[in-house]
Amino acid sequence: MATGHWFTNRGKTLIVQGAWDDDAATLIRCGLLVGTQPTAADTAAEVADLNTVNDLLVTAAATECSAGGYARQNLSRTNAAEDDANDRVNLDASDVAFGALASGQTIIGAFFYDATTDTNDTTRLLLSVDWFAAGVPTNGGTITYPIADLYRAA
């Protein structure tokens, strides 16, 4: 399984245009992926061309978590911060907790999207996909996606 946190070209555009700082706190959201990584989204180049959540879940055939208790979560984030010591800009957010997910699925990745036009997955703009190095089984407890600078611009 390929691993990495990959931006979509649409996500790069939105971040450069200021979506990180300008969007309300509930407009960037996170979802979880389960099962097997689809071959249509297992390289950075393939993920880069995806524009919407629908492109990821339908066109690329990724599978979203459906374990009992699962719901997509809002990202609680801070404004972009200049980091002169490391010559970059850090875009940070709080860890994302998905509480009490029923047993039976293995989380293999996460996806982030801009929900400004949050009518359905065909209008939700995909920012990035993060494929995990190892799956995380659901077991009835909380699954936490840890974040230390979700994105960095250097």
Side-chain angles (χ1 to χ4, degrees):
M1 177 166 77
T3 62
H5 191 163
W6 301 324
F7 253 129
T8 65
N9 291 327
R10 180 66 47 98
K12 294 173 197 173
T13 301
L14 291 170
I15 295 299
V16 168
Q17 291 174 335
W20 187 266
D21 286 346
D22 291 344
D23 279 348
T26 60
L27 292 182
I28 295 179
R29 304 192 78 206
C30 177
L32 297 176
L33 300 167
V34 298
T36 304
Q37 186 181 32
T39 58
D42 65 355
T43 69
E46 290 166 338
V47 168
D49 292 338
L50 302 174
N51 290 314
T52 65
V53 173
N54 189 72
D55 288 350
L56 176 65
L57 299 179
V58 176
T59 307
T63 303
E64 186 170 8
C65 181
S66 61
Y70 169 75
R72 295 176 186 176
Q73 298 295 310
N74 294 330
L75 217 58
S76 175
R77 61 195 190 286
T78 60
N79 285 346
E82 184 177 335
D83 181 353
D84 289 333
N86 293 299
D87 296 327
R88 67 182 182 217
V89 173
N90 300 322
L91 290 83
D92 199 12
S94 298
D95 294 351
V96 182
F98 295 86
L101 298 183
S103 298
Q105 292 192 320
T106 300
I107 309 298
I108 62 164
F111 64 96
F112 298 87
Y113 65 96
D114 183 326
T116 303
T117 56
D118 199 11
T119 54
N120 60 56
D121 284 345
T122 64
T123 64
R124 294 175 180 129
L125 302 176
L126 188 64
L127 297 174
S128 63
V129 177
D130 185 7
W131 296 114
F132 301 167
V136 179
T138 60
N139 61 9
T142 297
I143 301 285
T144 300
Y145 180 93
I147 297 176
D149 299 335
L150 185 64
Y151 304 123
R152 292 179 175 157

